[in-house]
Amino acid sequence: MKTPSDNPSKDAQIAALSDEVAQLKHQLDWLKRQLFGRKSEKVLVDNPAQSSLFDEGESHALPADTKPVKAHTRSSQKQRRDSDVNDDGLRFDETVPQQVIDLPAPELQGTNADQYEVVDIKETRRLAQQPGSYVVLVYRRQVVRHKTTQTLKDTPAPTNVLEGCYCDVSLLAGLMVDKAVYHLPLHRQHQRMLDSGITLSRATLINWIQQGIELLRPIAKAQWQHILQSKILMMDEVPIKAGRTKGAGRKPGQMKQTYFWPMYGDSDEVAFTWSHSRGMLHAKAQLQDFTGTLLTDGYAAYTKTVEQLNQHERQIVHAACWVHMRRGFEKALDSEPHTAQQALDIIATLYRHEKHIRDKQSDLADIHTYRQQHSEPLVTDFFRWVYQQRQRTDLLPKSPFAKALHYTAERESQLKVFLSNPALPMDTNHLERALRVIPMGRKNYLFCWSELGAEQLGILQSLMVTCRLQGVNPYHYLVDVLQRVALHPAKDVLDLTPRVWKEKFADKKLTSDLDKMG
């Protein structure tokens, strides 16, 4: 009778199948976490002062000096804020229109009305909404005739953003904001118009937005060029389906997978560049004129891009994101709960150091000193621990924990860059928050009908996301720049980016005729 050791090929097959089963179990656990688990990566710290809900061994008696309070005797101690306008707590600024509805007292209309007098007015405010608030502006232009020559002359119509178009700038800006900021697909906006009594085709809406975005193209380009002048640049990639294609292995009309490559500069500006693929050629083209520190995820294309550009006398320092590295150990918790948690605990300590730096609002010199004293020894111990763990003979090469160790060890020098650059954050979280508009919008409009549409969406989102980062109202910004771009000198187009616009034009912004009418 043969033992397992007498059949090496069978043993190898069993080991391979066991490894495959472990990988499949890991994928299943990961899928369950995505569907039912918490998405936040924030570390939850147990409060030792808080007792367990199911700990039956401890006494739950109240302390002697504590009196139980009945539910019906509790009173609300809600703190009033200066911006609360009434007892309802409704808060709004002066830009919100108000419509007053007078309610006469019934006592003043009866037979005994002369027995009452008004001594005070009480106000109750409620927030209301008008469905599909569309207005048709009628420009009544006088036609005059010269009494002597009998020639006729009419008053010219106001210039419009889109020449020969009956779309007012207020509607054009509204369509763009609803699409990019609130992720409302055009077919839903079109349906809302139909429900409001406006009859036009969806193709007309698409044409309007495309023409409007082309007016914004030079502004987005100027912003992209300014971002490349940053000393610290974050870069990532996010997939989006755009354009139909035909070919082997593809269904007729299947959407192609294309990519946005968002870039985040050190002046809180974002540029969503677009490419057909996830290959390094696009990254290389975008970074051709960049010099500074590039902070990215662990995608290998960035490493190759930086290596090639530095061979041509570029000076780019490549830094890696700690959050992306951390996710590998988080995925390994099921297979290696104790050792993976050790890595997560060390990373959590590093982030507590970063929180201390943010809370103290230290200058760059103090940040560098603090990181050298507190973070650098911890990072050194961490990578020593990674090396030791990789020497284990019981680790399967394809296990989640082994992959996390390999990923981390390959990027050791890139992950240490933040220790020598006090202005550099540990992660690309700023960029990841900014690019959320793409996956959020993707859940609503699913895909871009054409590759041109994807590129134009990137132009619009570059300006809309930057508006949010700069504290600029996207609607007010679009209403102004769509009118101003034709009047502004082309050499000063950078003035129309949200970062500069809020300083130069926010207090004297151009408005639509509808706004002028109140």
Side-chain angles (χ1 to χ4, degrees), residues 24-37 39 331 334:
L24 292 174
K25 288 180 64 178
H26 170 70
Q27 294 176 11
L28 179 61
D29 292 337
W30 179 86
L31 179 60
K32 288 180 178 179
R33 285 200 304 272
Q34 296 300 308
L35 292 175
F36 310 113
K39 301 297 188 297
K331 292 178 181 178
D334 293 329

Side-chain angles (χ1 to χ4, degrees), residues 321-336:
C321 171
W322 277 77
V323 166
H324 282 81
M325 179 268 288
R326 178 191 179 277
R327 290 170 186 165
F329 291 103
E330 196 275 335
K331 292 178 181 178
L333 281 173
D334 293 329
S335 57
E336 293 274 348

